[in-house]
Amino acid sequence: MIRRLFALTASLLLPVAAFGAEWNLVALMHRLAEQRSGEARFSESKHLAILAAPVLSSGVLRFRAPDRLEKITEAPRPESLVLDGDTLTVTREARRQVVRLADYPQAAAFVDSIRSTLAGDHAALERTYALHLSGARARWTLSLLPRDPKLAERVLRITIRGSDATLSEIEVLLADGDRSVMTIRDAVPTR
Amino acid sequence: MRPRRAAALAAWVTLLVACVAVIAQTRFTADLSAFLPRTPTAEQQLLVDQLTDGMVSRLLLVAIEGGDAKARADASRALAQRLRADPAFGMVANGEPVHEEHDRKLLYHNRYLLSPAVAPERFTAVGLEAAIGESVALLASPLGMLTKSLLPADPTGEMLALVERFEAGARPAQAEGAWASRDGERALLLVQTRAAGSDMDAQQAAIAAVRSAFEATRHGAAAAGLSLVMSGPGVFAVDARATIRGEVTRLALLSTAIVVTLLLFIYRSLPALVLGLLPVVTGAVAAVAAVSLGFGMVHGITLGFGTTLVGEAVDYAIYLFVQHDPAGEDGHDARPAFWPTIRLGVMTSICGFAALLFSGFPGLAQLGLYSVTGLVVAATTARFVLPALLPSGFRIRDVSPLGRRLQHLVAGAHRLRWPLVALTLAAAAAIHLHRDRVWNHELAALSPVPTTAQALDQALRADLGAPDVRYVVVVSAPDREAALAGAEEVGGRLEPLLGEGVLGGYESPAHYLPSQATQLARRASLPEAGLLATRLADATAGLPLSAERLAPFLAEVEAARRRAPLTREDLEGTSFALAADSLLVRQHGHWSALLPLTAPDGGARAIDAARVRAALATNDGAQAVFVDTKGESDRLYAGYLQEARLLAFAGLAAIVALLALTLRSARRVAGVLTPLAAAVLAVVAGLLLSGVTLTILHLVGLLLIVAVGSNYALFFDRAAGAAGPTPRTLASMLFATLTTVAGFGLLAFSSVPVLQAIGTTVGPGAILALVFSAITASRPAPDLRPS
């Protein structure tokens, strides 16, 4: 009886022990890299100085390691953005645009930061941003500060919040004071 | 007799001198002009213009292979940099954003002149509210990041609409910052020469410049494994010219060598050889001069075909020499006996070749004129000049022993009658079985471009998304402005087809350079500052965007109201200059606007030509012609083929009529024609069985089998009453056939499809005509042994 209780306690404690292992960037990236693919709903609000009210949108995010990210906006207008390797495909109202990511460094920085985070690609993130992780495994905050001065002229900071291997919010603060907040929920792993 | 001989010699020398004088002025070409129609329809003219001078004709498709992606991209950039500095090239595109800055500036500053959305309604309060609302909604999109900064100055989104229109369409894949093939194994460049596609020397120089620029950029270990591949109309044309030139030289040398060897073997006499070649040379010289006078230039293919004339024309001297005998076997000069037969033979040949003269296919018409002139002059020289030059007592080796052996063979040939009937029936059956695929219906069948080169071209074209301008609408007008206005009007008629999925898209010069009238109308729809401010305030009342934020918009609209309309000069330094120049061309004293159409679903479906034509015909504004260039070229070829059938039939009819008139006996005409028909059937069956589909040139070859073969049949016919042709006649016929076969047979090994087709038809056909004539003419004879 006692032995069984001990075993139960041990099994309960084990994950806690693992949880207690040092939580740092390497651990976060490692956990993120383990998630090969997933799908989640998002809602995004953009706060732009030029507009009196925020613009809202919502839809589905899909990720498949190593480098495919889909952002399917369902409202207010259907639109899709697919980042596959270096190619960004934007489809809006029967118009399809395929652009090379390198041609649009600013736009690229944003989508690429999400993709590299989801992929747990520590090296890629470090190349573009100075990273700072705070909080605990259950609730962490990762700050990305652009290294490239040109990018820094546009993007002030990207803040990603999450819990363990799940992202819950991405906030982008632009240099001109405009800001967008994307909330992520109902994340499920996919095949 | 003396004065007549002197007169003949004098006329001959005069003719030679005159011909040489003409030839000295002659332009020789080896481009693709032989395949283009002489009297084109409007659609065909467009096709011809596109092939010779259009933008497509000036495109070079360049690929760099080998090495790794980085080395290829680096080489692509280095090559592009060199070519951009070379004034021979108008455009060098490899995926680098060279014009981007200028392009964007031009679009931005002229957006109210260029955007099709600019109209008075768009600048009413309602119109502004809709347009601005759209732009605000776009801010929610990821593209909002790009458009946000534009919003205060361009709230109606004209710039974005323009960018989207110009960036639409398939663009090549990228690897390491340069265009790459879809499989990533090649770096790609698209180069446009300034020189017209029809300027072969300039095209050749441009191709050489690309190659040497590539060599010059190859340094370092990474570049070692790289190689350059090129394609495009210019490359094809230059290669074809080189091939045709090489072929002509090779064929001329070979056929001369063969005929000379053969003649030396027969005559065993150098003077005889020289004299024997005299009619040939005279005929060839006169033929070239005649073509030069008749067509203004001589095509390489005509010269290549000329080798057959060597084989044909040498026959007359053979007949003369072999049968010339001061103390002949019959005890008298044989000349009078065989000349009528030769004359009839020459005339049937002329009937065959003359049919070609009337062809709308310049290549064929040249062949016709060349052959008719060559044969007439060669025969006349052999008949009137050559005898005058023969030294007294001239004689060649006696060929009678060979002739008698032949006579023996011929005597036994009647046993082959039934096998011949069986063979002919089998041939007819084979043709019947293959009746569905006898004819090749594509112009490409005549193309001197090897199929491997065509495949490479298609691969590069697909990867580059290069325009092949298969479908194009052409608007013609007396001046540039009218052409642009026409292009705008036609664009308006095409627009509904985009939505209906009939078209994937269309290009227009008016996209880059709207007509002045349109630009002024757009400018006039911009309200003056005070009015616009009032309307803007109304428009933004219900939007989360206050009018105060849009002060730059008011200023820019006011500036646009004072901006002069765009002209062609304003496009200089942007990628739109080339686009406008390619799509708006001045030809034959009038202007043509070209509107290339893209097939729907990324080219997966074909364009419904009937719907496009219907859309273009809906009103009687600008004159617009829809051209399917592929269809048009095939139709062009179908026209040639149809015409060639008619001409072949006419030629055949002329030959039959000539024979009927001369021989005055249906039985004898049938006797002459039967072996020829059998030969034609056998050759057609042979070609079909070896997988060849017949082109127009095979058809011409068949006509020539009848025209040339009738000579042999006539000799047998002449002798039909007697015990068959004399041994000497037989020997000379054998020699004549051998030289003819040598001439045509050589063509069979040519890599120029046009020449090869004629060679593979006439070469075997001539032999069969001789053999079949011998079989049908012969009859069992009791004793033919020499007494």
Side-chain angles (χ1 to χ4, degrees):
Chain A
M1 184 70 195
I2 289 173
R3 274 216 325 246
R4 278 182 65 190
L5 186 65
F6 179 76
L8 184 67
T9 316
S11 67
L12 281 171
L13 284 174
L14 253 171
V16 180
F19 227 71
E22 199 185 352
W23 182 243
N24 56 20
L25 263 177
V26 177
L28 170 62
M29 290 300 155
H30 186 71
R31 280 293 290 142
L32 290 169
E34 283 173 1
Q35 311 290 317
R36 300 298 295 163
S37 57
E39 187 177 307
R41 294 205 56 81
F42 75 87
S43 48
E44 187 175 24
S45 64
K46 284 185 176 169
H47 306 265
L48 308 177
I50 195 170
L51 298 184
V55 281
L56 306 173
S57 60
S58 60
V60 180
L61 274 182
R62 284 195 200 99
F63 174 73
R64 199 180 68 223
D67 58 4
R68 185 178 170 91
L69 176 67
E70 298 176 14
K71 184 185 179 193
I72 315 294
T73 307
E74 293 163 350
R77 291 172 196 222
E79 173 169 355
S80 89
L81 176 149
V82 177
L83 179 61
D84 200 348
D86 186 42
T87 315
L88 179 65
T89 310
V90 180
T91 312
R92 194 168 59 95
E93 289 170 7
R95 277 185 199 271
R96 216 168 84 100
Q97 268 186 293
V98 183
V99 298
R100 199 163 58 99
L101 211 50
D103 291 341
Y104 299 91
Q106 278 85 34
F110 175 62
V111 281
D112 200 30
S113 67
I114 305 180
R115 180 170 69 172
S116 298
T117 306
L118 288 169
D121 190 343
H122 194 174
L125 278 176
E126 284 279 8
R127 265 200 300 278
T128 325
Y129 301 98
L131 306 180
H132 175 73
L133 180 67
S134 65
R137 177 175 187 148
R139 187 174 172 76
W140 49 263
T141 302
L142 178 67
S143 308
L144 289 70
L145 299 172
R147 289 187 193 279
D148 175 34
K150 283 208 108 145
L151 181 54
E153 280 173 22
R154 301 286 298 267
V155 181
L156 206 59
R157 186 179 68 229
I158 300 174
T159 310
I160 302 176
R161 297 189 177 82
S163 165
D164 194 18
T166 310
L167 278 62
S168 59
E169 188 186 281
I170 301 169
E171 180 182 357
V172 180
L173 186 61
L174 299 179
D176 58 11
D178 289 350
R179 185 169 70 92
S180 77
V181 181
M182 180 194 273
T183 315
I184 303 167
R185 61 194 153 76
D186 304 340
V188 286
T190 54
R191 232 177 7 92
Chain B
M1 213 54 187
R2 279 272 154 213
R4 261 190 70 191
R5 286 187 172 191
L9 275 178
W12 175 64
V13 171
T14 315
L15 175 76
L16 271 186
V17 171
C19 289
V20 168
V22 170
I23 292 171
Q25 308 286 323
T26 296
R27 194 163 62 86
F28 292 89
T29 67
D31 58 14
L32 304 176
S33 59
F35 304 98
L36 304 176
R38 272 199 294 187
T39 48
T41 62
E43 284 90 346
Q44 289 169 353
Q45 184 61 51
L46 176 88
L47 177 70
V48 171
D49 291 344
Q50 282 297 304
L51 283 175
T52 54
D53 285 316
M55 62 167 168
V56 177
S57 76
R58 294 190 281 141
L59 280 184
L60 298 178
L61 287 66
V62 183
I64 298 171
E65 299 179 332
D68 59 17
K70 170 123 184 24
R72 288 191 294 268
D74 287 344
S76 164
R77 276 185 288 268
L79 176 60
Q81 193 188 357
R82 276 175 185 270
L83 296 182
R84 283 186 189 117
D86 187 335
F89 301 103
M91 174 203 68
V92 179
N94 68 336
E96 290 181 90
V98 278
H99 287 297
E100 204 165 344
E101 180 87 27
H102 282 116
D103 290 1
R104 280 182 181 268
K105 263 192 188 146
L106 184 91
L107 288 185
Y108 184 75
H109 292 307
N110 298 288
R111 61 187 183 276
Y112 295 109
L113 297 173
L114 288 170
S115 171
V118 172
E121 310 81 63
R122 195 168 175 86
F123 293 89
T124 59
V126 177
L128 285 170
E129 184 175 1
I132 298 173
E134 193 65 31
S135 297
V136 168
L138 188 62
L139 290 177
S141 127
L143 288 175
M145 297 289 270
L146 302 170
T147 60
K148 190 182 73 174
S149 61
L150 288 170
L151 194 62
D154 184 21
T156 54
E158 309 306 341
M159 180 64 184
L160 191 71
L162 288 177
V163 169
E164 279 184 350
R165 183 165 74 186
F166 291 119
E167 288 186 348
R171 285 199 291 175
Q174 291 257 1
E176 299 288 337
W179 281 347
S181 60
R182 267 172 285 183
D183 63 4
E185 295 300 311
R186 289 173 177 145
L188 301 175
L189 298 93
L190 197 57
V191 179
Q192 189 153 30
T193 62
R194 282 207 196 278
S198 57
D199 186 346
M200 298 285 290
D201 292 328
Q203 286 292 325
Q204 190 166 17
I207 291 165
V210 173
R211 290 199 193 284
S212 69
F214 175 70
E215 289 305 323
T217 57
R218 287 179 58 167
H219 37 68
L226 301 181
S227 58
L228 189 76
V229 182
M230 290 172 82
S231 186
V235 177
F236 286 166
V238 168
D239 284 353
R241 180 168 73 162
T243 307
I244 291 172
R245 275 185 180 170
E247 287 278 304
V248 168
T249 318
R250 200 169 60 93
L251 289 173
L253 285 176
L254 266 175
S255 67
T256 309
I258 290 178
V259 168
V260 164
T261 312
L262 205 60
L263 291 184
L264 272 180
F265 172 75
I266 303 166
Y267 299 153
R268 307 268 165 98
S269 148
L270 207 58
L273 171 69
V274 174
L275 288 172
L277 288 178
L278 213 65
V280 180
V281 174
T282 314
V285 167
V288 172
V291 172
S292 173
L293 290 175
F295 292 85
M297 53 102 178
V298 179
H299 200 278
I301 286 180
T302 310
L303 293 181
F305 184 77
T307 59
T308 63
L309 187 69
V310 175
E312 270 275 278
V314 82
D315 296 359
Y316 308 130
I318 294 177
Y319 291 129
L320 176 72
F321 292 171
V322 170
Q323 306 194 29
H324 168 86
D325 195 346
E329 55 192 344
D330 307 328
H332 59 84
D333 194 335
R335 222 182 310 150
F338 70 83
W339 274 122
T341 314
I342 289 189
R343 192 166 58 230
L344 187 56
V346 171
M347 280 163 74
T348 54
S349 292
I350 288 173
C351 286
F353 286 113
L356 306 185
L357 267 176
F358 302 101
S359 173
F361 183 15
L364 282 186
Q366 278 206 6
L367 297 191
L369 182 59
Y370 184 96
S371 303
V372 168
T373 316
L375 287 181
V376 170
V377 171
T380 314
T381 309
R383 172 72 184 87
F384 297 105
V385 179
L386 210 49
L389 292 173
L390 290 187
S392 59
F394 172 86
R395 61 178 302 159
I396 56 162
R397 171 175 87 94
D398 185 15
V399 294
S400 300
L402 175 68
R404 277 191 286 276
R405 277 205 296 280
L406 288 172
Q407 212 168 25
H408 207 61
L409 275 176
V410 171
H414 70 93
R415 291 192 205 95
L416 293 172
R417 279 187 166 191
W418 287 112
L420 174 60
V421 171
L423 180 73
T424 308
L425 287 178
I431 295 170
H432 183 73
L433 281 176
H434 288 88
R435 65 189 177 282
D436 295 331
R437 52 160 213 86
V438 170
W439 298 106
N440 190 325
H441 292 283
E442 295 198 3
L443 186 62
L446 299 183
S447 169
V449 179
T451 45
T452 50
Q454 286 181 18
L456 171 73
D457 189 66
Q458 260 170 17
L460 292 184
R461 224 163 257 287
D463 279 339
L464 274 167
D468 56 4
V469 196
R470 164 154 189 189
Y471 304 102
V472 62
V473 174
V474 186
V475 182
S476 295
D479 59 64
R480 188 209 294 254
E481 277 309 307
L484 283 171
E488 283 162 354
E489 193 204 325
V490 168
R493 292 186 231 165
L494 293 175
E495 209 67 51
L497 299 180
L498 298 180
E500 294 165 30
V502 177
L503 294 181
Y506 75 96
E507 274 260 60
S508 169
H511 287 172
Y512 305 92
L513 185 64
S515 69
Q516 298 288 303
T518 298
Q519 293 193 55
L520 292 175
R522 284 178 186 157
R523 200 175 71 173
S525 49
L526 301 174
E528 52 91 16
L531 186 58
L532 183 60
T534 320
R535 289 180 181 174
L536 196 57
D538 291 350
T540 52
L543 292 171
L545 178 66
S546 74
E548 290 84 76
R549 299 271 183 195
L550 300 177
F553 173 53
L554 295 175
E556 298 231 352
V557 169
E558 191 54 30
R561 280 164 47 82
R562 281 195 275 273
R563 184 174 275 277
L566 269 181
T567 63
R568 164 63 189 81
E569 286 66 43
D570 296 324
L571 302 184
E572 216 54 65
T574 71
S575 54
F576 307 131
L578 187 85
D581 289 349
S582 317
L583 299 178
L584 188 64
V585 289
R586 188 180 186 167
Q587 278 166 338
H588 319 298
H590 67 93
W591 288 79
S592 294
L594 309 180
L595 286 78
L597 308 183
T598 320
D601 301 340
R605 283 194 294 131
I607 287 180
D608 184 346
R611 300 265 320 257
V612 176
R613 288 209 173 87
L616 291 177
T618 45
N619 67 46
D620 50 4
Q623 281 305 304
V625 184
F626 171 73
V627 184
D628 169 2
T629 51
K630 167 84 165 60
E632 201 54 52
S633 69
D634 287 344
R635 221 172 358 263
L636 176 66
Y637 177 66
Y640 285 157
L641 190 59
Q642 186 56 37
E643 180 198 71
R645 283 181 187 156
L646 211 71
L647 291 176
F649 184 76
L652 188 65
I655 290 172
V656 173
L658 187 67
L659 290 176
L661 233 109
T662 321
L663 302 179
R664 296 187 179 282
S665 150
R667 195 187 54 77
R668 285 175 71 191
V669 171
V672 169
L673 288 178
T674 308
L676 301 181
V680 165
L681 285 178
V683 167
V684 170
L687 287 171
L688 291 179
L689 288 176
S690 56
V692 178
T693 53
L694 303 192
T695 66
I696 186 169
L697 276 312
H698 291 103
L699 181 65
V700 169
L702 296 178
L703 178 61
L704 297 190
I705 292 178
V706 176
V708 173
S710 60
N711 293 8
Y712 315 134
L714 282 171
F715 272 110
F716 281 105
D717 168 77
R718 182 169 72 97
T726 63
R728 287 186 179 189
T729 307
L730 271 180
S732 57
M733 278 166 68
L734 179 70
F735 297 145
T737 315
L738 286 178
T739 54
T740 304
V741 170
F744 281 105
L746 264 181
L747 291 188
F749 299 99
S750 169
S751 58
V752 180
V754 171
L755 298 179
Q756 198 221 8
I758 292 187
T760 49
T761 314
V762 186
I767 298 183
L768 291 182
L770 176 71
V771 173
F772 289 177
S773 296
I775 294 173
T776 50
S778 72
R779 63 206 64 229
D783 185 19
L784 274 169
R785 249 182 284 268
S787 46

